[in-house]
Amino acid sequence: MSSATSSTQAGADRPGKKNLLFGLSNTLVYRLLSIVAVFGIWEIAGRIPISVAFPTFGETMQALFEMTLDGRMVHAYGETLKPLATGVIISGVFGVVIGVGMGLNRLFQWMWEPIFIVLQASPVAALIPLITYAYGIGLTAKTVAVIMLAAPIIVLNTYKAVRNASPSLIQMSRSFQGTRMQEIWKVIIPSAAPIIFAGLRLGVAAGFIGVILAELLITPTGLGDLISYHRSIAEYPQMYAAVFSIIVFSAVMVGFLENVEVKYFRPEKKKGL
Amino acid sequence: MASAAAAPAYKGTTETSKDNIVEVRNISKTYGTDIHALDAINLAFPTGQMTTLLGPSGCGKTTLLKIIAGLLEPSDGQVFVHGRPVTGPGPERAFVFQDFALLPWATVLRNVGFGLELTKHPKSEREEKARHYINEVGLAGFEDKYPHELSGGMRQRVGLARAMAVDADVLLMDEPFSAVDEQTRRKFQEDLLHLLSVERKTVIFVTHSIEEAVYVSDQIVLLSPRPGRIHATIRPDISRDISPDDIRRNKTYLDTVEEIWTDLRKYLD
Ligand SMILES: Nc1ncnc2c1ncn2[C@@H]1O[C@H](COP(=O)(O)OP(=O)(O)O)[C@@H](O)[C@H]1O
Ligand SMILES: [Mg+2]
């Protein structure tokens, strides 16, 4: 109780200038510092060097810049995004729908749970060559690889989030004569949203792993091709530039999902954070 | 079966007294096969009065309240509201929860209007009503706050306002002040009594505090430990016209508290 009160007071003087550093918000400054520190260590490690195959941060950024300008990066992303976007969208949409269904209905749960638990427990990297027997070496095989990595995480997180939605809030909705549909849309889904979105973020990140694995293990295209080509001719800055760009892209996607969650489902998290 | 059985039950309404808005007849509840929570409870709740269910933890107070609310099915017996048998939650009853049960992602304004939102009242109407009751419970200015920004006492005021906003005849309150500190609790009790004197509601109030029961009630029902049975019904004869502080010093008040305490004490051995 007292902590709730004090957080109210802290919230009240938040609009003031107390939490500002160099005119930027406190948290933003710390985040920037953390990023600068990582890049700094990278630069130093590259200069020592810890390995001939480990370029400095500067060299990598230069390679990234050149590859972006001459269109290689754009072309690679064009290739990689096809299976990635398809797979992530299919996993996100069907994953959430199936997970919500499993959370709401036992029969549905028994139908789907075994498949996704097996998928989550299996070493998908080892299964990827098997995918090629079933789906060939084209776009379909790569999309399937993305789905196999992303979907189980999304489905199982969504299912657990829905199943554990606050029973007290559900009872409240019933006591005020909410229908089952209102209960699902106005109580269960918003209540489950933080964990569903945590699953989506992890799922999207796993989808990135899936697409790169597929591009390295099935047929070299897009970013997988950039990585393996530059590695084979020992152009490490270029290779790391490709890896670096995926990490940044993946982080941006994950951050975007976080904004969607706060904006549309959990507005209370916007304040005081 | 429903229609055939409901007809004679409905006919039986002539038997229920007009003065008792809620009647509980022969209610028993067994959880699973062996947890016997309630045993043959018969009770009448007079219209416009405050009845308290008082008893030790685990005696079935919440169970009984949820059966009256239509949130739980009794194993045996029936509840009548306005003479009609209860088959589920209804608009004439509103619940105030022990753990507040507020939507963390909704503002105070939306939480208070949530009952009206579920029954599809237009937005302007439910916001107007919500604002009115936010004022009544003393939370004016907090309309756009979220529950995590409020203290426990304020959160329960939101829960109370939400129950008032649907304009039910009967308020069911499950230990509404148990998660609230002592000072806030006293103030809250006084405010509740004041609010009820204006609104003319029937209240069924659950508590395990003897002082609270005697302070707020017209009628006190003492329940025995599991399986909950009615041990005694007491009507404290305290005038509501005297000030809250005088009530707490009133001889009848103190004697009633003492009497109930002596009575319940034997269950503690
Ligand atoms: N869902 C449940 N399943 C099994 N036992 C329960 C359940 N709810 C309550 N009980 C048991 O029934 C008894 C009465 O519970 P409750 O009505 O919550 O008591 P009170 O509100 O008076 O403390 C307790 O012994 C409790 O353990
Ligand atoms: Mg209880």
Side-chain angles (χ1 to χ4, degrees):
Chain A
M1 227 68 61
S2 62
S3 73
T5 323
S6 64
S7 84
T8 316
Q9 280 149 4
D13 54 33
R14 208 165 282 274
K17 294 211 166 136
K18 260 187 195 160
N19 296 322
L20 295 185
L21 222 60
F22 316 121
L24 294 169
S25 94
N26 226 333
T27 42
L28 188 61
V29 169
Y30 286 124
R31 278 182 198 171
L32 288 175
L33 278 179
S34 144
I35 292 171
V36 169
V38 169
F39 291 162
I41 292 167
W42 179 355
E43 182 69 30
I44 293 165
R47 282 186 192 206
I48 292 176
I50 55 167
S51 153
V52 281
F54 192 71
T56 64
F57 175 65
E59 287 165 350
T60 309
M61 286 306 106
Q62 194 188 346
L64 180 62
F65 188 66
E66 285 165 12
M67 289 161 83
T68 309
L69 277 193
D70 68 16
R72 269 185 291 169
M73 209 51 117
V74 178
H75 177 75
Y77 268 96
E79 288 283 309
T80 301
L81 276 179
K82 274 181 255 167
L84 178 63
T86 320
V88 161
I89 288 171
I90 290 176
S91 306
V93 173
F94 287 92
V96 169
V97 169
I98 291 172
V100 168
M102 283 167 66
L104 295 175
N105 183 303
R106 299 263 169 193
L107 207 66
F108 210 70
Q109 177 202 338
W110 291 328
M111 219 164 84
W112 290 96
E113 198 175 17
I115 306 171
F116 288 104
I117 288 195
V118 166
L119 267 182
Q120 200 187 28
S122 58
V124 178
L127 294 182
I128 283 178
L130 287 180
I131 297 175
T132 56
Y133 294 125
Y135 297 100
I137 54 167
L139 190 59
T140 320
K142 287 170 188 162
T143 309
V144 169
V146 171
I147 294 174
M148 278 175 72
L149 271 144
I153 300 176
I154 296 174
V155 168
L156 294 176
N157 262 282
T158 306
Y159 149 62
K160 279 179 199 142
V162 167
R163 180 56 53 83
N164 294 328
S166 162
S168 139
L169 290 183
I170 292 173
Q171 210 160 53
M172 183 277 290
S173 162
R174 287 189 190 155
S175 84
F176 287 102
Q177 298 168 83
T179 60
R180 177 72 170 153
M181 275 299 137
Q182 288 175 320
E183 187 179 307
I184 292 169
W185 286 106
K186 290 179 187 280
V187 176
I188 296 178
I189 295 195
S191 168
I195 302 177
I196 295 180
F197 273 89
L200 279 172
R201 290 195 289 271
L202 291 172
V204 167
F208 275 79
I209 299 173
V211 80
I212 300 301
L213 276 179
E215 285 185 332
L216 289 172
L217 296 173
I218 300 176
T219 40
T221 49
L223 284 160
D225 181 38
L226 276 188
I227 294 171
S228 50
Y229 171 72
H230 287 294
R231 196 177 66 129
S232 67
I233 57 169
E235 283 183 357
Y236 296 113
Q238 279 76 1
M239 172 189 155
Y240 274 86
V243 174
F244 179 79
S245 75
I246 306 165
I247 298 173
V248 171
F249 189 60
S250 175
V252 167
M253 286 303 299
V254 166
F256 167 74
L257 279 174
E258 209 165 310
N259 285 336
V260 170
E261 177 200 346
V262 170
K263 181 154 185 219
Y264 294 101
F265 292 91
R266 302 300 292 246
E268 89 277 12
K269 293 189 174 175
K270 197 158 35 187
K271 281 200 195 175
L273 270 187
Chain B
M1 173 219 138
S3 59
Y10 192 81
K11 237 175 142 192
T13 55
T14 42
E15 293 166 29
T16 69
S17 159
K18 266 227 151 70
D19 307 329
N20 294 326
I21 189 166
V22 177
E23 290 202 17
V24 167
R25 290 208 198 136
N26 205 28
I27 289 284
S28 295
K29 175 73 183 177
T30 312
Y31 286 109
T33 52
D34 55 347
I35 303 177
H36 200 175
L38 291 173
D39 188 40
I41 303 279
N42 283 289
L43 271 176
F45 298 88
T47 309
Q49 295 201 356
M50 179 120 169
T51 303
T52 296
L53 305 175
L54 178 65
S57 245
C59 74
K61 304 182 295 292
T62 300
T63 305
L64 180 55
L65 204 63
K66 288 197 171 156
I67 289 173
I68 296 172
L71 291 170
L72 267 181
E73 286 264 347
S75 312
D76 194 19
Q78 260 185 323
V79 175
F80 294 85
V81 177
H82 286 305
R84 287 182 292 274
V86 162
T87 53
E92 68 297 322
R93 283 157 291 151
F95 209 104
V96 179
F97 293 85
Q98 185 169 8
D99 64 355
F100 320 136
L102 303 179
L103 305 174
W105 56 87
T107 59
V108 166
L109 186 65
R110 182 162 174 226
N111 265 299
V112 172
F114 194 65
L116 298 166
E117 183 178 331
L118 291 178
T119 45
K120 306 218 166 75
H121 285 68
K123 191 171 173 146
S124 59
E125 184 195 329
R126 65 179 194 249
E127 290 199 343
E128 192 189 311
K129 276 220 170 116
R131 281 180 204 284
H132 171 75
Y133 284 101
I134 289 170
N135 259 318
E136 290 288 294
V137 299
L139 283 181
F142 288 89
E143 288 83 355
D144 297 325
K145 295 279 182 211
Y146 289 95
H148 73 268
E149 300 173 285
L150 307 178
S151 69
M154 291 158 89
R155 285 182 216 180
Q156 193 54 295
R157 284 169 191 267
V158 176
L160 179 62
R162 177 177 60 194
M164 298 288 251
V166 295
D167 202 20
D169 303 324
V170 184
L171 281 187
L172 306 166
M173 308 179 78
D174 188 6
E175 304 205 25
F177 309 139
S178 66
V180 171
D181 62 74
E182 186 59 31
Q183 290 96 316
T184 319
R185 189 179 175 125
R186 286 204 169 192
K187 179 80 173 73
F188 206 151
Q189 289 165 356
E190 287 167 19
D191 290 355
L192 177 68
L193 287 183
H194 174 73
L195 199 56
L196 292 173
S197 65
V198 180
E199 296 272 342
R200 294 285 305 154
K201 305 262 183 210
T202 305
V203 180
I204 307 179
F205 188 92
V206 164
T207 183
H208 60 242
S209 156
I210 300 173
E211 283 82 3
E212 181 165 280
V214 180
Y215 181 65
V216 300
S217 321
D218 299 303
Q219 171 178 265
I220 301 172
V221 177
L222 293 186
L223 295 170
S224 64
R226 219 173 80 196
R229 291 199 182 91
I230 294 171
H231 175 73
T233 304
I234 295 165
R235 299 191 135 266
D237 193 18
I238 302 166
S239 165
R240 297 284 151 196
D241 300 331
I242 57 179
S243 80
D245 288 331
D246 288 335
I247 292 182
R248 288 199 170 94
R249 272 189 298 253
N250 183 290
K251 181 156 182 341
T252 325
Y253 168 80
L254 294 169
D255 287 349
T256 316
V257 169
E258 201 48 41
E259 186 188 319
I260 295 176
W261 172 232
T262 330
D263 209 2
L264 287 180
R265 184 180 231 154
K266 57 175 171 283
Y267 291 133
L268 296 176
D269 303 326

